[in-house]
Structures are given as C-alpha cells and as structure tokens.
Amino acid sequence: MTSLLLRSTFRLCPVKPLFYDVGKWCRAVGLSTLTALISACASIGPSTKLAAPAPVFAPLAFFTGHTVGEGILRVTLSHARRVHVVSDGRVEPDGTLVLIQRVEEGSKPPRERTWHMRDLGGGLFAVSLSDAIGPVEADVAGNRLHLRFRAKGGLGIEQWIYRQPGGDTALNRMVVRKFGLPVASLHETIRQVR
C-alpha cells in the first residue's frame, strides 16, 4: 500500500520526495549531524569576553610552584571526560621554566608530560613540550597566553590561557583539530596552590 502511494504521489508530483530515496535521506541527515557537531567544537577558540589588557600574563611566574587544573574535555562523537592536571614548576639558573605535569583524563591511566619555557622578550617564548611534535609557538598579549603545536596522530592543538583578576587563577580554552577540523575542546580552570 505504501509503495503504491509513493509511486502514485511521484507520478503526480514532478519533484521526487526526499524520503523516497532512503540512501539520500540518510546521507543528508548524517551530513547535517556531522556539520552540527563540528560547528559546536568550532565555536571554541579565543574569547573576546576573557581577553583583557590586565592582569598581564607572566607564564614563568604563574606556573612556578604548584598548580592544579580541573576541566572537561569534549570529544566529537564521544562522551565528555573530566581532566585533572597537577603541575610542579621550577625556574632553572638559565631562566627556563621546567613544568612537570601529571594528567588524568577520564578512565585512562595517568600520564606525565614536561614543558620547557624561556622568555624571549617582546611577549614571545621559546617552548618545548614532551607531547608535541616539533616546537611550540607561544606568545602573550595582555592577560592571554596563546600556544600552538602539533601532536601525534596528525593533531593540531591550540590553547588560549587567560589569567584572571587576582592573579592566582587562569582559564584554559583549547581546541584540537584533525585535517583542519575541530575534533575536541577543553575548558579548564587552573589554580595556583601556594
């Protein structure tokens, strides 16, 4: 009966109904869903609401000592995961910050990573990270530290860390891209523990 109704409707109407070709309908819905998911991640990035000329972010001073980060990692087509990061930083005699972090992400085993950061002046920093492939681009403008690097698996990672008034808290906004498309985002609050 339905088949007959569809055939007779098709004969009366010169435009083929969308649901007549289930394959096209599934592709259209799938593409719409994928576009919505990518758009949700794409909205993550630099925040004009968080950016301010002061307090000026001094990353070596902020990350020297003990800091703790708590956040939520959202991965496209997956569930959100809690992220907990404990960091201990020290400045070496040559002025380089060495930051050792213990990262706990959802139910994954904890992992350790190490940052090395040296102030080059003019808001620029020389940075290396054990998770990165190649150098890390880093600069400061006002209360924002901007980091950009490549990671294993062809991932491009970009972070915007905003120091907050009072100076002992920073908000981290990160986006992870694969083939230029956003696939994950992180919202994290980092606090100094003195």
Side-chain angles (χ1 to χ4, degrees):
M1 178 74 167
T2 305
S3 178
L4 179 60
L5 181 60
L6 284 174
R7 273 187 250 138
S8 63
T9 303
F10 181 67
R11 274 189 227 124
L12 295 174
C13 177
V15 178
K16 192 176 189 181
L18 179 62
F19 58 85
Y20 191 78
D21 185 340
V22 175
K24 282 185 182 177
W25 182 82
C26 288
R27 284 189 296 278
V29 169
L31 184 59
S32 297
T33 303
L34 183 60
T35 301
L37 288 169
I38 289 172
S39 296
C41 278
S43 65
I44 303 302
S47 172
T48 56
K49 292 179 183 177
L50 296 174
V56 173
F57 203 129
L60 275 61
F62 183 84
F63 288 108
T64 296
H66 191 69
T67 55
V68 175
E70 297 285 345
I72 300 291
L73 177 66
R74 297 187 191 314
V75 180
T76 304
L77 303 176
S78 184
H79 62 282
R81 302 174 194 151
R82 289 199 164 281
V83 175
H84 178 78
V85 181
V86 176
S87 305
D88 287 297
R90 69 182 185 285
V91 177
E92 297 289 304
D94 70 352
T96 300
L97 170 72
V98 178
L99 184 66
I100 299 171
Q101 297 182 312
R102 177 183 166 92
V103 180
E104 298 172 7
E105 178 190 325
S107 60
K108 293 181 178 180
R111 70 182 194 278
E112 191 174 279
R113 67 181 174 203
T114 304
W115 294 81
H116 290 87
M117 180 181 286
R118 192 167 34 87
D119 191 342
L120 299 175
L124 300 176
F125 293 82
V127 180
S128 65
L129 170 63
S130 56
D131 286 356
I133 297 173
V136 177
E137 294 177 30
D139 66 89
V140 168
N143 72 329
R144 176 200 45 80
L145 169 63
H146 179 222
L147 302 163
R148 187 181 333 186
F149 58 94
R150 308 285 309 160
K152 293 177 185 171
L155 300 176
I157 299 174
E158 198 164 5
Q159 291 178 260
W160 298 267
I161 305 174
Y162 300 91
R163 184 174 174 208
Q164 297 302 289
D168 62 350
T169 302
L171 303 179
N172 181 15
R173 301 297 183 254
M174 179 180 76
V175 64
V176 180
R177 290 183 174 87
K178 177 102 175 173
F179 304 119
L181 299 173
V183 294
S185 65
L186 172 74
H187 279 205
E188 178 189 25
T189 300
I190 305 167
R191 290 187 173 80
Q192 292 176 322
V193 181
R194 303 282 186 226

